[in-house]
Amino acid sequence: MIQEKLGQRIAALRKTRKLTQAGLARMIGCSEDFISLVERGVNAPSVAGLEKFARVFRVEIRDLFTFERRKLPRKARSLRHS
């Protein structure tokens, strides 16, 4: 689950910066296939790899783990606060 969210976050950051998977791979120093696997949540980067992604995206490593929360339906929100 978290691996998939991390991959989605990396893909979103890449697209925001108008990078292709090939371009990001060159900047990170890995293969385009690896970027694809990470973005699909199949593989996860090492800690050193996270540092490289953060450096390329100009964010802190913790920002790679900032995931959007989906709004819960009103009924579910009220049950959660009970």
mmCIF file of all heavy atoms in Angstrom, residues 53-81:
data_model
loop_
_atom_site.group_PDB
_atom_site.id
_atom_site.type_symbol
_atom_site.label_atom_id
_atom_site.label_comp_id
_atom_site.label_asym_id
_atom_site.label_seq_id
_atom_site.Cartn_x
_atom_site.Cartn_y
_atom_site.Cartn_z
ATOM 1 N N PHE A 53 15.925 10.911 -5.524
ATOM 2 C CA PHE A 53 14.634 11.425 -5.984
ATOM 3 C C PHE A 53 14.362 12.788 -5.356
ATOM 4 O O PHE A 53 13.960 13.730 -6.044
ATOM 5 C CB PHE A 53 13.492 10.458 -5.630
ATOM 6 C CG PHE A 53 13.336 9.310 -6.581
ATOM 7 C CD1 PHE A 53 13.808 8.047 -6.253
ATOM 8 C CD2 PHE A 53 12.705 9.480 -7.807
ATOM 9 C CE1 PHE A 53 13.664 6.967 -7.120
ATOM 10 C CE2 PHE A 53 12.554 8.418 -8.685
ATOM 11 C CZ PHE A 53 13.030 7.158 -8.339
ATOM 12 N N ALA A 54 14.587 12.892 -4.048
ATOM 13 C CA ALA A 54 14.337 14.161 -3.355
ATOM 14 C C ALA A 54 15.210 15.278 -3.919
ATOM 15 O O ALA A 54 14.741 16.404 -4.112
ATOM 16 C CB ALA A 54 14.575 13.983 -1.855
ATOM 17 N N ARG A 55 16.466 14.974 -4.197
ATOM 18 C CA ARG A 55 17.376 15.982 -4.739
ATOM 19 C C ARG A 55 16.905 16.466 -6.115
ATOM 20 O O ARG A 55 16.862 17.670 -6.380
ATOM 21 C CB ARG A 55 18.794 15.416 -4.834
ATOM 22 C CG ARG A 55 19.841 16.470 -5.137
ATOM 23 C CD ARG A 55 21.281 15.956 -5.108
ATOM 24 N NE ARG A 55 21.556 14.897 -4.153
ATOM 25 C CZ ARG A 55 21.869 13.636 -4.504
ATOM 26 N NH1 ARG A 55 21.959 13.286 -5.765
ATOM 27 N NH2 ARG A 55 22.116 12.730 -3.584
ATOM 28 N N VAL A 56 16.521 15.522 -6.974
ATOM 29 C CA VAL A 56 16.059 15.883 -8.321
ATOM 30 C C VAL A 56 14.783 16.723 -8.256
ATOM 31 O O VAL A 56 14.633 17.702 -8.981
ATOM 32 C CB VAL A 56 15.831 14.611 -9.175
ATOM 33 C CG1 VAL A 56 15.047 14.929 -10.434
ATOM 34 C CG2 VAL A 56 17.162 13.972 -9.531
ATOM 35 N N PHE A 57 13.864 16.334 -7.355
ATOM 36 C CA PHE A 57 12.589 17.051 -7.248
ATOM 37 C C PHE A 57 12.690 18.308 -6.384
ATOM 38 O O PHE A 57 11.727 19.059 -6.251
ATOM 39 C CB PHE A 57 11.509 16.131 -6.678
ATOM 40 C CG PHE A 57 11.150 14.976 -7.571
ATOM 41 C CD1 PHE A 57 10.912 13.726 -7.032
ATOM 42 C CD2 PHE A 57 11.045 15.121 -8.942
ATOM 43 C CE1 PHE A 57 10.559 12.645 -7.841
ATOM 44 C CE2 PHE A 57 10.711 14.054 -9.760
ATOM 45 C CZ PHE A 57 10.462 12.812 -9.206
ATOM 46 N N ARG A 58 13.863 18.494 -5.740
ATOM 47 C CA ARG A 58 14.089 19.646 -4.854
ATOM 48 C C ARG A 58 13.071 19.679 -3.717
ATOM 49 O O ARG A 58 12.446 20.714 -3.443
ATOM 50 C CB ARG A 58 14.066 20.956 -5.642
ATOM 51 C CG ARG A 58 15.196 21.074 -6.624
ATOM 52 C CD ARG A 58 15.247 22.440 -7.272
ATOM 53 N NE ARG A 58 16.337 22.505 -8.197
ATOM 54 C CZ ARG A 58 16.187 22.659 -9.508
ATOM 55 N NH1 ARG A 58 14.988 22.752 -10.028
ATOM 56 N NH2 ARG A 58 17.242 22.718 -10.289
ATOM 57 N N VAL A 59 12.926 18.524 -3.075
ATOM 58 C CA VAL A 59 12.055 18.401 -1.911
ATOM 59 C C VAL A 59 12.819 17.650 -0.821
ATOM 60 O O VAL A 59 13.883 17.083 -1.074
ATOM 61 C CB VAL A 59 10.738 17.634 -2.239
ATOM 62 C CG1 VAL A 59 9.926 18.360 -3.299
ATOM 63 C CG2 VAL A 59 11.012 16.202 -2.658
ATOM 64 N N GLU A 60 12.281 17.672 0.380
ATOM 65 C CA GLU A 60 12.817 16.856 1.470
ATOM 66 C C GLU A 60 12.335 15.421 1.261
ATOM 67 O O GLU A 60 11.280 15.205 0.662
ATOM 68 C CB GLU A 60 12.316 17.378 2.823
ATOM 69 C CG GLU A 60 12.752 18.793 3.142
ATOM 70 C CD GLU A 60 14.246 18.900 3.398
ATOM 71 O OE1 GLU A 60 14.836 17.945 3.962
ATOM 72 O OE2 GLU A 60 14.828 19.930 3.045
ATOM 73 N N ILE A 61 13.084 14.465 1.782
ATOM 74 C CA ILE A 61 12.677 13.064 1.648
ATOM 75 C C ILE A 61 11.274 12.864 2.207
ATOM 76 O O ILE A 61 10.457 12.168 1.613
ATOM 77 C CB ILE A 61 13.685 12.119 2.331
ATOM 78 C CG1 ILE A 61 14.999 12.120 1.555
ATOM 79 C CG2 ILE A 61 13.122 10.703 2.424
ATOM 80 C CD1 ILE A 61 16.107 11.338 2.213
ATOM 81 N N ARG A 62 10.971 13.498 3.328
ATOM 82 C CA ARG A 62 9.642 13.333 3.929
ATOM 83 C C ARG A 62 8.528 13.781 2.994
ATOM 84 O O ARG A 62 7.414 13.278 3.055
ATOM 85 C CB ARG A 62 9.561 14.048 5.271
ATOM 86 C CG ARG A 62 9.584 15.556 5.156
ATOM 87 C CD ARG A 62 9.362 16.227 6.508
ATOM 88 N NE ARG A 62 9.629 17.634 6.382
ATOM 89 C CZ ARG A 62 10.736 18.230 6.785
ATOM 90 N NH1 ARG A 62 11.665 17.531 7.392
ATOM 91 N NH2 ARG A 62 10.902 19.510 6.612
ATOM 92 N N ASP A 63 8.832 14.725 2.094
ATOM 93 C CA ASP A 63 7.822 15.204 1.146
ATOM 94 C C ASP A 63 7.437 14.131 0.134
ATOM 95 O O ASP A 63 6.362 14.194 -0.453
ATOM 96 C CB ASP A 63 8.309 16.461 0.419
ATOM 97 C CG ASP A 63 8.519 17.624 1.378
ATOM 98 O OD1 ASP A 63 7.765 17.721 2.368
ATOM 99 O OD2 ASP A 63 9.448 18.420 1.148
ATOM 100 N N LEU A 64 8.301 13.161 -0.078
ATOM 101 C CA LEU A 64 7.962 12.052 -0.971
ATOM 102 C C LEU A 64 6.852 11.192 -0.368
ATOM 103 O O LEU A 64 6.154 10.486 -1.075
ATOM 104 C CB LEU A 64 9.194 11.179 -1.248
ATOM 105 C CG LEU A 64 10.357 11.849 -1.973
ATOM 106 C CD1 LEU A 64 11.547 10.890 -2.044
ATOM 107 C CD2 LEU A 64 9.946 12.304 -3.360
ATOM 108 N N PHE A 65 6.693 11.289 0.955
ATOM 109 C CA PHE A 65 5.696 10.500 1.660
ATOM 110 C C PHE A 65 4.484 11.334 2.077
ATOM 111 O O PHE A 65 3.716 10.927 2.949
ATOM 112 C CB PHE A 65 6.320 9.833 2.889
ATOM 113 C CG PHE A 65 7.368 8.822 2.524
ATOM 114 C CD1 PHE A 65 8.703 9.188 2.429
ATOM 115 C CD2 PHE A 65 7.022 7.510 2.247
ATOM 116 C CE1 PHE A 65 9.678 8.268 2.077
ATOM 117 C CE2 PHE A 65 7.985 6.579 1.891
ATOM 118 C CZ PHE A 65 9.312 6.956 1.803
ATOM 119 N N THR A 66 4.318 12.486 1.452
ATOM 120 C CA THR A 66 3.154 13.326 1.707
ATOM 121 C C THR A 66 2.088 12.939 0.702
ATOM 122 O O THR A 66 2.167 13.302 -0.467
ATOM 123 C CB THR A 66 3.507 14.827 1.565
ATOM 124 O OG1 THR A 66 4.577 15.115 2.454
ATOM 125 C CG2 THR A 66 2.318 15.697 1.874
ATOM 126 N N PHE A 67 1.132 12.155 1.172
ATOM 127 C CA PHE A 67 0.090 11.643 0.295
ATOM 128 C C PHE A 67 -1.199 12.413 0.534
ATOM 129 O O PHE A 67 -1.512 12.772 1.667
ATOM 130 C CB PHE A 67 -0.161 10.156 0.551
ATOM 131 C CG PHE A 67 1.098 9.324 0.576
ATOM 132 C CD1 PHE A 67 1.403 8.525 1.659
ATOM 133 C CD2 PHE A 67 1.988 9.345 -0.490
ATOM 134 C CE1 PHE A 67 2.545 7.750 1.687
ATOM 135 C CE2 PHE A 67 3.138 8.575 -0.477
ATOM 136 C CZ PHE A 67 3.417 7.779 0.614
ATOM 137 N N GLU A 68 -1.937 12.631 -0.545
ATOM 138 C CA GLU A 68 -3.241 13.277 -0.411
ATOM 139 C C GLU A 68 -4.207 12.311 0.249
ATOM 140 O O GLU A 68 -4.233 11.133 -0.057
ATOM 141 C CB GLU A 68 -3.789 13.667 -1.788
ATOM 142 C CG GLU A 68 -3.049 14.814 -2.412
ATOM 143 C CD GLU A 68 -3.698 15.240 -3.706
ATOM 144 O OE1 GLU A 68 -4.925 15.075 -3.851
ATOM 145 O OE2 GLU A 68 -2.959 15.730 -4.564
ATOM 146 N N ARG A 69 -4.996 12.856 1.132
ATOM 147 C CA ARG A 69 -6.031 12.039 1.760
ATOM 148 C C ARG A 69 -7.335 12.265 1.021
ATOM 149 O O ARG A 69 -7.687 13.401 0.704
ATOM 150 C CB ARG A 69 -6.233 12.436 3.218
ATOM 151 C CG ARG A 69 -5.039 12.120 4.065
ATOM 152 C CD ARG A 69 -5.340 12.420 5.494
ATOM 153 N NE ARG A 69 -4.153 12.168 6.297
ATOM 154 C CZ ARG A 69 -4.102 12.355 7.582
ATOM 155 N NH1 ARG A 69 -5.151 12.808 8.220
ATOM 156 N NH2 ARG A 69 -3.007 12.101 8.241
ATOM 157 N N ARG A 70 -8.002 11.158 0.746
ATOM 158 C CA ARG A 70 -9.307 11.277 0.106
ATOM 159 C C ARG A 70 -10.332 11.651 1.143
ATOM 160 O O ARG A 70 -10.292 11.174 2.269
ATOM 161 C CB ARG A 70 -9.704 9.967 -0.567
ATOM 162 C CG ARG A 70 -8.936 9.722 -1.838
ATOM 163 C CD ARG A 70 -9.483 8.551 -2.556
ATOM 164 N NE ARG A 70 -8.827 7.375 -1.986
ATOM 165 C CZ ARG A 70 -9.192 6.138 -2.177
ATOM 166 N NH1 ARG A 70 -10.235 5.871 -2.914
ATOM 167 N NH2 ARG A 70 -8.548 5.141 -1.635
ATOM 168 N N LYS A 71 -11.238 12.530 0.766
ATOM 169 C CA LYS A 71 -12.299 12.908 1.685
ATOM 170 C C LYS A 71 -13.237 11.734 1.890
ATOM 171 O O LYS A 71 -13.632 11.068 0.946
ATOM 172 C CB LYS A 71 -13.084 14.098 1.144
ATOM 173 C CG LYS A 71 -12.429 15.413 1.381
ATOM 174 C CD LYS A 71 -13.417 16.512 1.154
ATOM 175 C CE LYS A 71 -12.882 17.795 1.745
ATOM 176 N NZ LYS A 71 -13.847 18.868 1.607
ATOM 177 N N LEU A 72 -13.583 11.520 3.136
ATOM 178 C CA LEU A 72 -14.549 10.483 3.460
ATOM 179 C C LEU A 72 -15.953 11.030 3.261
ATOM 180 O O LEU A 72 -16.190 12.228 3.440
ATOM 181 C CB LEU A 72 -14.388 10.053 4.925
ATOM 182 C CG LEU A 72 -13.073 9.393 5.296
ATOM 183 C CD1 LEU A 72 -13.005 9.209 6.816
ATOM 184 C CD2 LEU A 72 -12.952 8.051 4.615
ATOM 185 N N PRO A 73 -16.887 10.168 2.906
ATOM 186 C CA PRO A 73 -18.273 10.625 2.843
ATOM 187 C C PRO A 73 -18.691 11.188 4.197
ATOM 188 O O PRO A 73 -18.157 10.792 5.234
ATOM 189 C CB PRO A 73 -19.059 9.356 2.508
ATOM 190 C CG PRO A 73 -18.062 8.405 1.963
ATOM 191 C CD PRO A 73 -16.740 8.776 2.573
ATOM 192 N N ARG A 74 -19.645 12.101 4.201
ATOM 193 C CA ARG A 74 -20.081 12.776 5.427
ATOM 194 C C ARG A 74 -20.404 11.772 6.535
ATOM 195 O O ARG A 74 -20.004 11.956 7.678
ATOM 196 C CB ARG A 74 -21.299 13.654 5.135
ATOM 197 C CG ARG A 74 -21.799 14.398 6.356
ATOM 198 C CD ARG A 74 -22.972 15.286 6.008
ATOM 199 N NE ARG A 74 -22.545 16.434 5.230
ATOM 200 C CZ ARG A 74 -22.170 17.590 5.766
ATOM 201 N NH1 ARG A 74 -22.162 17.748 7.055
ATOM 202 N NH2 ARG A 74 -21.805 18.596 4.998
ATOM 203 N N LYS A 75 -21.106 10.701 6.211
ATOM 204 C CA LYS A 75 -21.495 9.708 7.215
ATOM 205 C C LYS A 75 -20.260 9.065 7.845
ATOM 206 O O LYS A 75 -20.184 8.903 9.060
ATOM 207 C CB LYS A 75 -22.387 8.640 6.589
ATOM 208 C CG LYS A 75 -22.921 7.651 7.577
ATOM 209 C CD LYS A 75 -23.877 6.678 6.909
ATOM 210 C CE LYS A 75 -24.424 5.696 7.923
ATOM 211 N NZ LYS A 75 -25.332 4.740 7.314
ATOM 212 N N ALA A 76 -19.280 8.713 7.036
ATOM 213 C CA ALA A 76 -18.065 8.088 7.553
ATOM 214 C C ALA A 76 -17.289 9.050 8.440
ATOM 215 O O ALA A 76 -16.720 8.653 9.444
ATOM 216 C CB ALA A 76 -17.186 7.596 6.405
ATOM 217 N N ARG A 77 -17.263 10.346 8.094
ATOM 218 C CA ARG A 77 -16.579 11.330 8.916
ATOM 219 C C ARG A 77 -17.222 11.440 10.282
ATOM 220 O O ARG A 77 -16.567 11.525 11.292
ATOM 221 C CB ARG A 77 -16.577 12.697 8.232
ATOM 222 C CG ARG A 77 -15.555 12.829 7.145
ATOM 223 C CD ARG A 77 -15.368 14.284 6.745
ATOM 224 N NE ARG A 77 -16.626 14.932 6.404
ATOM 225 C CZ ARG A 77 -16.961 15.336 5.187
ATOM 226 N NH1 ARG A 77 -16.139 15.149 4.184
ATOM 227 N NH2 ARG A 77 -18.104 15.919 4.969
ATOM 228 N N SER A 78 -18.563 11.455 10.304
ATOM 229 C CA SER A 78 -19.257 11.587 11.589
ATOM 230 C C SER A 78 -19.055 10.343 12.443
ATOM 231 O O SER A 78 -18.952 10.438 13.665
ATOM 232 C CB SER A 78 -20.745 11.862 11.374
ATOM 233 O OG SER A 78 -21.378 10.767 10.755
ATOM 234 N N LEU A 79 -18.964 9.170 11.835
ATOM 235 C CA LEU A 79 -18.713 7.951 12.611
ATOM 236 C C LEU A 79 -17.311 7.938 13.180
ATOM 237 O O LEU A 79 -17.083 7.464 14.275
ATOM 238 C CB LEU A 79 -18.912 6.709 11.712
ATOM 239 C CG LEU A 79 -20.325 6.409 11.275
ATOM 240 C CD1 LEU A 79 -20.330 5.252 10.283
ATOM 241 C CD2 LEU A 79 -21.209 6.077 12.470
ATOM 242 N N ARG A 80 -16.371 8.487 12.440
ATOM 243 C CA ARG A 80 -14.988 8.507 12.870
ATOM 244 C C ARG A 80 -14.796 9.395 14.098
ATOM 245 O O ARG A 80 -13.956 9.150 14.929
ATOM 246 C CB ARG A 80 -14.114 8.990 11.721
ATOM 247 C CG ARG A 80 -12.635 8.687 11.955
ATOM 248 C CD ARG A 80 -11.808 9.001 10.778
ATOM 249 N NE ARG A 80 -11.666 10.453 10.694
ATOM 250 C CZ ARG A 80 -11.061 11.073 9.710
ATOM 251 N NH1 ARG A 80 -10.584 10.392 8.715
ATOM 252 N NH2 ARG A 80 -10.958 12.376 9.695
ATOM 253 N N HIS A 81 -15.586 10.451 14.213
ATOM 254 C CA HIS A 81 -15.446 11.387 15.328
ATOM 255 C C HIS A 81 -16.298 10.969 16.522
ATOM 256 O O HIS A 81 -16.319 11.663 17.514
ATOM 257 C CB HIS A 81 -15.841 12.799 14.895
ATOM 258 C CG HIS A 81 -14.881 13.346 13.888
ATOM 259 N ND1 HIS A 81 -13.588 13.660 14.206
ATOM 260 C CD2 HIS A 81 -15.014 13.595 12.573
ATOM 261 C CE1 HIS A 81 -12.965 14.111 13.127
ATOM 262 N NE2 HIS A 81 -13.799 14.060 12.118
#
